Amino acid sequence: MNHTFESLQEDIASGRLTTDEMVLNMGPQHPSTHGVLRLELVLDGEMVVKVIPHMGYLHRCFEKHAENMTYPQVIPYTDRMDYLAAMNNNHGYVLAVERLMGIELPDRVEYIRIIMAELQRIASHLVAIGTFGMDIGAFTPFLYCFRDREYILDIFEKTCGARLLYNYMWVGGVSHDVHDGFVQEVAAFIKHFRPTVVEVNNLLNYNKIFIERTANIGVLPADVALSYSCSGPMLRGSGVNWDLRRDDPYCIYDRFDWDVVVGTGEAGTLGDCWDRHMVRVREMEQSCRIIEQALASFPEGDVTSAIPKKIRPPKGEIYTRVENPRGELGYYVVSDGTGNPFRVKARGPSFVNLSVMDDISRGHLIADIVAILGSVDIVLGEIDR
């Protein structure tokens, strides 16, 4: 019996001929997963029916380790959760312990922390933007992004001796005062960096092929983002105007003038991959604004004067959250009055944001999964902890 293509299509449409779904594993070793993550894709032909993330390949027992460490010894472990935003991870943890102990920080420490956190945000977004472009097939912008990230890592290295995992923010202060010429170097970097954003816009962000690969793909409506508790650029890309630095201010962010960037649906549907990507691009400009204002009023002072000789918070518990480059990073710390935390629980933004992957992937093609996952911008070290 001969079948034509048209007759088969009619049979499928009428239900006389059924096709099986296929399961395809993407990862755990796959360049687009940006780490050891396995996505189990249920497919109907090229169409994605379901996405099931499988994680745990990088699990290191961070929270259990923390119960057997002193409070300062936990800080290097926070570095290793999101290794692209180690400064921000340090910041959230030490803030929680300082609030438990009621420590007031010198102004110089607050300013240094803000500058370091925003430089780290730019460095992290540069990795996200460069690798996202490369996922789509654009290699050159990746080089531009990594070149400028190196300038930031040079500044970090001069300050504290490390380029990736810093252990820089300590309870009550920072490990080292900034080096001579720090203010001038950071100001020179900001001046150098702004034209790079224009170059990346011209090379990548407004490129027709890039827009067609990312606009109207992986649309995350605002109500779905809120119901999944997404945060950071994932949430703001859907048009929700929410940023902890402004809406639940910590440190001294309320002293600076800057804007929260949200998605607008400029290239396609509000909340698509392009919107999430552009939120990261535009947030780097806002970080530059914050850093410039902090440099303009950078105070003198002793960065170690508030560091306690013995760190032993009174009995109690606290939840502190900060806006790291991927969203809300929270630490729930319970103290039993000893030198070790009784409990440390982390709320990681990558873990929460990844949970929406199935919802925003259904109905798309396999090739779109690469774009969707890249736009979520996960770091597996923080998901698995």
Side-chain angles (χ1 to χ4, degrees):
M1 186 175 182
N2 294 325
H3 291 287
T4 63
F5 179 75
E6 288 75 17
S7 67
L8 285 174
Q9 294 301 312
E10 288 173 9
D11 288 345
I12 292 172
S14 65
R16 290 193 298 272
L17 177 65
T18 57
T19 55
D20 286 335
E21 291 178 344
M22 182 176 73
V23 175
L24 178 71
N25 282 305
M26 180 184 280
Q29 304 295 335
H30 190 283
S32 70
T33 58
H34 299 190
V36 278
L37 170 70
R38 180 163 67 94
L39 294 178
E40 183 182 336
L41 308 180
V42 181
L43 304 173
D44 180 2
E46 288 262 340
M47 201 70 74
V48 176
V49 176
K50 191 172 182 57
V51 178
I52 307 165
H54 293 271
M55 57 199 79
Y57 297 95
L58 267 181
H59 183 55
R60 302 176 310 285
C61 295
F62 158 68
E63 292 170 1
K64 197 64 186 172
H65 271 305
E67 296 171 13
N68 294 285
M69 300 288 162
T70 63
Y71 286 91
Q73 287 173 335
V74 174
I75 299 171
Y77 285 86
T78 66
D79 278 326
R80 287 155 177 79
M81 285 204 306
D82 180 349
Y83 37 79
L84 296 179
M87 288 286 187
N88 305 81
N89 294 348
N90 289 173
H91 199 182
Y93 173 74
V94 298
L95 210 56
V97 180
E98 286 161 0
R99 286 179 180 173
L100 265 177
M101 299 181 71
I103 295 174
E104 292 290 329
L105 297 177
D107 253 11
R108 187 174 176 86
V109 172
E110 298 276 27
Y111 275 77
I112 291 174
R113 287 184 178 183
I114 290 284
I115 293 169
M116 291 302 188
E118 293 309 312
L119 283 173
Q120 182 78 89
R121 190 180 313 279
I122 294 173
S124 175
H125 282 353
L126 283 172
V127 174
I129 292 162
T131 54
F132 186 53
M134 202 156 67
D135 287 343
I136 305 299
F139 183 64
T140 306
F142 170 83
L143 300 175
Y144 281 66
C145 292
F146 269 62
R147 177 199 64 192
D148 282 8
R149 176 175 175 259
E150 285 297 304
Y151 289 116
I152 296 175
L153 300 189
D154 287 345
I155 292 170
F156 287 165
E157 186 177 15
K158 280 187 184 177
T159 303
C160 63
R163 295 178 68 81
L164 195 67
L165 308 171
Y166 312 105
N167 187 22
Y168 181 61
M169 296 188 193
W170 287 6
V171 176
V174 291
S175 65
H176 305 76
D177 200 354
V178 293
H179 58 274
D180 292 340
F182 172 81
V183 171
Q184 292 76 11
E185 280 184 33
V186 175
F189 165 74
I190 297 295
K191 186 178 178 184
H192 158 86
F193 176 64
R194 282 203 166 102
T196 300
V197 179
V198 178
E199 287 175 327
V200 172
N201 277 335
N202 293 334
L203 275 170
L204 179 68
N205 303 331
Y206 293 104
N207 178 285
K208 180 176 168 50
I209 298 171
F210 180 75
I211 290 176
E212 291 196 356
R213 286 292 313 275
T214 56
N216 299 314
I217 301 294
V219 176
L220 175 63
D223 60 327
V224 177
L226 289 169
S227 66
Y228 272 93
S229 199
C230 293
S231 58
M234 276 294 281
L235 180 66
R236 292 190 285 276
S238 298
V240 180
N241 195 336
W242 174 263
D243 191 308
L244 288 174
R245 292 172 292 174
R246 183 201 62 190
D247 298 307
D248 187 10
Y250 56 93
C251 215
I252 53 169
Y253 275 108
D254 53 356
R255 298 185 189 177
F256 305 117
D257 180 32
W258 57 283
D259 298 314
V260 175
V261 179
V262 295
T264 59
E266 181 184 337
T269 309
L270 178 63
D272 58 19
C273 292
W274 195 85
D275 268 341
R276 290 192 282 277
H277 172 76
M278 286 307 292
V279 164
R280 295 187 183 97
V281 173
R282 290 165 180 160
E283 278 189 355
M284 295 193 298
E285 167 59 26
Q286 299 306 316
S287 292
C288 290
R289 287 178 64 191
I290 294 171
I291 293 169
E292 282 179 328
Q293 293 170 65
L295 292 177
S297 51
F298 196 60
E300 293 294 329
D302 180 0
V303 298
T304 59
S305 61
I307 296 178
K309 290 183 179 174
K310 183 177 285 188
I311 298 176
R312 194 182 289 261
K315 284 184 181 179
E317 59 185 9
I318 194 162
Y319 178 75
T320 301
R321 55 185 183 170
V322 294
E323 187 76 35
N324 98 343
R326 279 157 200 82
E328 178 181 329
L329 170 67
Y331 289 100
Y332 172 63
V333 181
V334 180
S335 168
D336 58 2
T338 66
N340 293 11
F342 178 77
R343 181 83 172 93
V344 175
K345 174 82 178 72
R347 186 264 188 212
S350 290
F351 179 81
V352 178
N353 291 342
L354 182 65
S355 64
V356 82
M357 189 70 195
D358 180 45
D359 255 76
I360 61 177
S361 300
R362 291 183 186 187
H364 287 292
L365 298 173
I366 301 172
D368 295 329
I369 297 299
V370 174
I372 295 171
L373 185 62
S375 74
V376 177
D377 184 27
I378 54 170
V379 169
L380 267 302
E382 180 241 274
I383 290 174
D384 291 342
R385 293 197 284 281

